Structures are given as C-alpha cells and as structure tokens.
Amino acid sequence: MSSLRTTSILALAASIALGAAVQAKAEDLNLYSSRHYDTDERLYSDFEEMTGITINRIEGKADELIARMKAEGDNSPADVLLTVDTSRLERAKNEGVLQSVDSDVLENRIPAYLQDDDNQWFGFSQRARIIFYDKTDVENPPKSYVELADPAYKGMVCHRSSTNVYSLTLLSSVIENHGEEAAKEWAKGVVDNFARDPQGGDTDQLRGLVSGECDVSVGNTYYFARALRRDVSGLPADAMENIGWVFPAQDAEGAHMNLSGGGVAAHAPNRDNAVKFLEYLASDQAQKYFSAGNDEYPAVPGVGLSDSVAQLGIFKPDDVDLSEVAKNVPTAQKIFNEVGWK
C-alpha cells in the first residue's frame, strides 16, 4: 500500500472519528444539579425521549457545584446549573459561572419577577414559605411574618438556623418589603419567641408541632404537601389533622416564595441543548410535573396543581423582584448575627 493511500485512509478515519465525536457532543447535555429529588428523574427521561439528547448529571451541594464551575473555568463541561433558592442563583451569577440567554420562550412564559434582570437565571418551580401551627393549642395564629415577633407568641416558635438559605431569603424579603431597621426588630422579636434553639430542616419544624416542642413554626409548603400525599416519618396522619396553616401577609405583600431555577453555564460546550432544556422546563408538561412529582408550585401562570398542593388552598404570593431580594442576603446574615439568631 502506498504511503499516500495510507495517509488518505488515516485522514478519512480521523475525519469520521471527529465527526462522530462532534455528533455525540451535539446530542449531550451536561447538567450540574443540587436538586436532590428522585422524582426529577421523570423530568430528565421525558426530555431525553423528546429530543434524543442524553443528560449527563453531576449532583452535589449548590455551593460546591458553583465553586467547581468557577475552578474549571473555560474548560468546564457544565451546560446547565440547577439549584434551589434565589440566593444561590444570584451567587452563581456573581461568581461569573452563568451567561445571559436570549429566549422568547423563557421571556414569555416565566414571569419577570421570577427571572434575573440580565436573563442569567430563570425560576421553574416555587414553594410558599408559610406559617404552621398546632390547632389544639393556638386559637389565634400569626397572620403575617411580622406577627411572628409579637410577644403573644413568646416561647412558641420553632424555626431553622440563621445560616439556612430559606431563613436568609425570608429575612431578605422582609428587608425588601419593610426596610432594614424594621427587619432587624422583627428578627430580634422572633428570637425572643423561640421555643428552642434553631435546628433541623423544615420537616423537623413540623415534627416539633407534633411533639409539642413548639406551637408555631415556619416551613415551605412542599414538605407539608408531601406529608399529605404519603407517609413521612414523624408526621402520622392523625397528627397531621391537628396542624393548621396560614398563608402570611394576605392583606399586605403576600406569602414569600422560594424559588428553584437554573441557567446556562458561562462556558457551556452544548449551549443550544442547554437552552432547549431550560425551555423544556418552562413547558406545560414539565411545569405540571414539578407539582405532581415534588409538590411544588409551577412558575408558569395557569398550570394546574397536583391534589396535594391544591389542598392547601388559593393564596396571594409576594411578587417582589427576587433578584432584589437576593441582593439583601449579606445584610440578612449580618442582622441574624447581631440579634443572636443561631
């Protein structure tokens, strides 16, 4: 065989191999996710079946994934970052690991207050952060976040720690709606009303009502809705009947909403696939599954709710700009430290 022919064959083989690699890459999506729900498997499998794009996942805590993306820099394989809470989405933006997206689908379907001003992240599901109480002990539960600081509830309130993102975002929204000084007074009043030192997750706050450790607690709706739908340890059905709930501030700003969302990675090697995935998450099909699979509220208006979520009732959500709320997180942490919220 001549060297020229050998060279030609090798070149052709290399070309075919390169083409196959490019094709494989074009059919991939590298997802970095801190959502830890088994029910999300349905979201991923449906997208793969619809598009032929294979999702490769790396899962971990939000801060770790953001740090990893930053360390990887231009060589990061990440196409999409999914995480929970506005503060983490804003942190990803500030760390430079996201990029702006120009998508009419996302712009038209996701309300403006649930997306970044620069289109670097978009919210896809929500959880209302509401007040729960023991109906057997509390005749007049707090009707707003502000009332949680009322001395009438001294020694009755259970809450998560000051470092928890849900706590930080709630105080950040109080700052945005009522001002920094009022927010500090509120935080101090809530600390004075604690039944115990802050501890555990949202489900533990509900368990505190069942055990009698506290009479009032704060938590995200999807933890409670999940316990309505299926068995959750420490929350038996007979005890659940004694837990009441209040959507706060219905005659004012409305109930604070925690957001789960995502954005396209700054150096996404499969950018087009990344945008397709975000647009899919905004589709009616995916939005319905956020509610049916994980007891969340859809971000897209008009999408139907699962029975467990609908059972909680209709309410007015706070439509404050969550981009602005996220900017208050450092101030919120400072306030927590100053008032002794552990």
Side-chain angles (χ1 to χ4, degrees), residues 70-100:
K70 188 173 182 180
E72 290 170 340
D74 295 351
N75 297 317
S76 177
D79 292 311
V80 169
L81 172 69
L82 283 186
T83 188
V84 176
D85 194 78
T86 314
S87 64
R88 287 159 170 163
L89 292 166
E90 192 70 11
R91 184 178 305 157
K93 175 184 176 180
N94 293 338
E95 291 291 345
V97 300
L98 300 178
Q99 61 173 284
S100 297

Side-chain angles (χ1 to χ4, degrees), residues 39 44 56 72 87 89 106 134 161 266 314 334:
T39 50
Y44 306 143
N56 307 309
E72 290 170 340
S87 64
L89 292 166
L106 295 172
D134 184 342
S161 72
I314 303 300
K334 183 186 73 171

Side-chain angles (χ1 to χ4, degrees), residues 39 64 73 82 95 125 137 163 197 238 253 267 283 287 323:
T39 50
E64 294 171 354
L82 283 186
E95 291 291 345
S125 63
D137 289 338
T163 56
D197 286 343
D238 57 341
E253 67 269 17
H267 306 290
S283 69
Q287 286 290 296
S323 290

Side-chain angles (χ1 to χ4, degrees), residues 122-144:
F122 299 85
F124 296 109
S125 63
Q126 306 178 82
R127 306 87 177 269
R129 194 147 190 83
I130 68 174
I131 296 169
F132 297 97
Y133 65 98
D134 184 342
K135 292 190 292 187
T136 63
D137 289 338
V138 181
E139 185 175 341
N140 297 303
K143 296 297 191 295
S144 68

